[in-house]
Amino acid sequence: MSNAKVQRRTSIRRIIRQKVSGTSQKPRLAVFRSNTDIYAQLIDDVQGLTIAAASTKDKDIKAQSGTKSELSKLVGAAIARKAADLKVTTVVFDRGGYLYHGRVKAVAEGAREGGLQF
């Protein structure tokens, strides 16, 4: 990965984080995408705590077979289930500087289908 690409994503991420912040009632759904896996976290920025997390490394998701986008949708559904257990219905989506496309979009769609609103 080129250094310019990393710097561009970092600057976009900073701009997003200036506008997007989560609370305990409406946490931030942060997405991180690596080459092989995808991670989603519900974050309360006021207290600085991660409320819930899900990734493609979780046992139930890792056991599934499919493309990376299909597994990303399962991650979105898993984070929605964990949010429902915590009685959280609305979140603020943080795409982390990535384009809203592909695996990042699949996480968002999975979370929406799981009952989260954003």
Side-chain angles (χ1 to χ4, degrees), residues 3-78:
N3 195 24
K5 193 183 246 187
V6 173
Q7 287 178 338
R8 181 176 174 277
R9 181 185 156 261
T10 305
S11 68
I12 292 170
R13 188 171 170 272
R14 282 196 192 110
I15 293 166
I16 291 170
R17 283 292 291 119
Q18 286 175 353
K19 299 174 186 174
V20 174
S21 183
T23 64
S24 57
Q25 290 83 27
K26 192 173 182 179
R28 175 168 55 99
L29 174 57
V31 175
F32 175 75
R33 188 189 75 192
S34 73
N35 285 339
T36 54
D37 297 300
I38 194 151
Y39 306 82
Q41 293 181 324
L42 290 177
I43 302 170
D44 178 1
D45 290 311
V46 176
Q47 295 179 350
L49 294 173
T50 298
I51 301 168
S55 75
T56 49
K57 292 191 173 191
D58 294 350
K59 286 181 182 172
D60 55 337
I61 296 172
K62 199 172 205 172
Q64 303 283 332
S65 62
T67 64
K68 289 192 272 189
S69 291
E70 290 166 353
L71 294 177
S72 298
K73 200 165 194 173
L74 294 176
V75 170

Side-chain angles (χ1 to χ4, degrees), residues 78-93:
I79 199 77
R81 276 194 307 277
K82 291 179 180 182
D85 293 343
L86 296 166
K87 295 178 177 58
V88 173
T89 56
T90 57
V91 295
V92 181
F93 190 71

Side-chain angles (χ1 to χ4, degrees), residues 91-113:
V91 295
V92 181
F93 190 71
D94 177 9
R95 59 189 175 91
Y98 303 108
L99 293 176
Y100 185 79
H101 178 75
R103 290 190 282 156
V104 175
K105 186 176 180 180
V107 169
E109 289 172 352
R112 283 194 183 107
E113 287 173 12

